Amino acid sequence: MTLETAKDYVLPERVVRLHDEETALAGFIVLHSTRLGPAAGGCRFWSYPSLELASADALRLARGMSYKNALAGLPFGGGKAVIDAPTGTYDRSALFRAFGRAVEALDGLYVTAEDVGTTVEDMAQVSSQTTHVAGLAQVPGQPGGDPSPWTALGVFSAMQVAVAHRLGTSLDGLTVAVQGLGHVGFALCERLHEAGARLLVAEPRSDVAARAVVAFDAQVMTPAALVGARADVFAPCALGGAITARTADALQAKVVCGAANNQLETDMQARQLADRGILYAPDYLVNAGGIINVAAEYSGWDTAEVDARVGQIADRMREVLDLADTQGTTPVEAADALAARIIAKAGRRTVAAA
Ligand code: NAD
């Protein structure tokens, strides 16, 4: 890769500053790459200490979306919006309508949806100004709505591949430690229980943990104890940053595969896990079921198409693990290299060249 092309993946194609005094809208839309199609990625609404940190977050997240969408085989590039939550009083609906006008001004180069801090109602406000939005109220029988069951399915099938690769077995009879029993974690437990896995779980909401005990015969542990528990697989399905230098050292599992975004505290942890013989399944590869569901809603695909595309997550996982073995890299390095190659093969920018 030449310096020039390498830069293409680091530098975004376009950064749009969001600034509307009337509604207190402030933030950024970052189009990281539109080589594969319109830049798709959600809108984060968060209280940032400074606009510089907001833009840094948008840049990092947009690049992540390029890689996630490329690995999922979607006809979408990567982008992200971040809105800095106003400190004073403001009209939230008016703010999201102003954001919708900014999305509309990009004329289809950017497709938005929910992310941390945004809701279906926010996206309904956006949709009053632009059609380039997904994550709206679901039409019965059509893709859209809660993506969690699709995310859980993708994680489950990637886990089957990772376990077969590292341990040479199926999930039947293995012990899986699931951190977080939210929308994805609980649905993942259902599939793991059906597949014959024994479940250890950690979940601060005691009523939800109790439901897992009844439904799946799960053993409840504290979040701290779960990390060092005797388990074959560790599945982070709560917040990001679950794998720190300390937890990477304490893990007894031989496979880490879960839904949470940004599981590794820093890039160093990918190497740390590999050095301990622990297979880390890249989060942005295995949790793509949600974005596939969003892409289907926007593109008008049917549920069978979503099912087929989520099914391909397992194939991609196999490809990445084989590549990592052949090249002697971590799965994260292999996944990044593969994503960059897919984007590069798409040729020159076709959409955002203006
Ligand atoms: P959720 O908010 O429904 O669930 C998170 C759960 O984790 C909650 O039940 C919470 O009580 C629990 N939790 C919080 N801190 C914990 C801790 N220290 N230990 C154990 N449990 C803890 O979220 P979700 O939709 O299930 O998503 C889970 C993760 O997967 C998030 O990181 C999310 O960004 C990521 N993700 C979700 C989707 C999706 O389709 N929902 C898609 C891609 C990625």
Side-chain angles (χ1 to χ4, degrees):
M1 186 180 277
T2 65
L3 183 62
E4 213 34 53
T5 55
K7 262 170 42 186
D8 282 348
Y9 303 115
V10 177
L11 297 178
E13 290 176 16
R14 201 189 286 191
V15 178
V16 177
R17 172 92 190 265
L18 299 169
H19 178 70
D20 182 59
E21 261 174 38
E22 204 180 315
T23 59
L25 172 68
F28 300 90
I29 297 175
V30 174
L31 309 185
H32 175 262
S33 169
T34 59
R35 286 175 191 240
L36 290 166
C43 170
R44 184 162 289 196
F45 186 78
W46 195 251
S47 196
Y48 287 96
S50 69
L51 274 181
E52 285 71 27
L53 288 174
S55 72
D57 203 27
L59 288 164
R60 181 182 65 87
L61 293 166
R63 175 182 178 276
M65 288 310 301
S66 286
Y67 281 27
K68 182 185 279 207
N69 293 340
L71 288 174
L74 292 170
F76 287 96
K80 202 84 183 183
V82 303
I83 297 176
D84 189 21
T87 44
T89 53
Y90 66 99
D91 178 343
R92 187 169 175 120
S93 301
L95 183 146
F96 276 96
R97 285 196 297 276
F99 171 62
R101 288 192 288 281
V103 173
E104 176 62 15
L106 286 166
D107 201 20
L109 290 181
Y110 170 61
V111 180
T112 196
E114 287 100 343
D115 191 65
V116 174
T118 51
T119 65
V120 173
E121 170 52 28
D122 295 332
M123 292 308 124
Q125 295 297 335
V126 172
S127 76
S128 70
Q129 308 295 318
T130 182
T131 54
H132 305 300
V133 53
L136 303 169
Q138 188 176 16
V139 178
Q142 297 292 313
D146 178 13
S148 309
W150 294 113
T151 305
L153 176 59
V155 172
F156 174 75
S157 51
M159 193 186 289
Q160 286 177 309
V161 172
V163 162
H165 191 90
R166 176 65 184 81
L167 302 170
T169 67
S170 74
L171 283 159
D172 193 8
L174 295 195
T175 301
V176 182
V178 180
Q179 184 189 50
L181 299 179
H183 291 91
V184 182
F186 205 89
L188 177 65
C189 284
E190 267 169 11
R191 291 190 177 273
L192 290 168
H193 181 64
E194 267 168 37
R198 189 174 150 254
L199 291 170
L200 307 178
V201 299
E203 165 58 51
R205 295 178 300 153
S206 53
D207 55 328
V208 177
R211 277 207 288 132
V213 174
V214 174
F216 316 126
D217 201 18
Q219 183 184 337
V220 181
M221 306 183 87
T222 63
L226 190 80
V227 172
R230 288 178 75 85
D232 301 292
V233 182
F234 181 66
C237 296
L239 309 174
I243 310 294
T244 62
R246 195 183 57 76
T247 53
D249 213 32
L251 277 175
Q252 298 211 34
K254 290 293 174 218
V255 172
V256 174
C257 179
N261 280 314
N262 304 317
Q263 288 167 31
L264 303 178
E265 191 179 49
T266 73
D267 290 347
M268 302 280 288
Q269 272 70 62
R271 174 48 56 197
Q272 195 185 349
L273 290 175
D275 287 348
R276 290 199 60 225
I278 300 170
L279 188 163
Y280 172 69
D283 49 21
Y284 51 93
L285 191 171
V286 310
N287 72 13
I291 189 70
I292 291 171
N293 184 55
V294 167
E297 177 191 341
Y298 182 72
S299 308
W301 301 337
D302 61 15
T303 306
E305 177 81 25
V306 180
D307 199 37
R309 285 177 180 267
V310 173
Q312 287 163 10
I313 292 175
D315 302 331
R316 190 67 90 193
M317 185 72 211
R318 257 179 233 109
E319 192 180 353
V320 161
L321 293 178
D322 289 346
L323 198 63
D325 283 352
T326 315
Q327 300 188 340
T329 65
T330 67
V332 169
E333 287 163 340
D336 279 358
L338 184 59
R341 203 185 309 154
I342 292 166
I343 295 167
K345 260 170 84 179
R348 300 308 306 162
R349 292 166 198 163
T350 50
V351 191

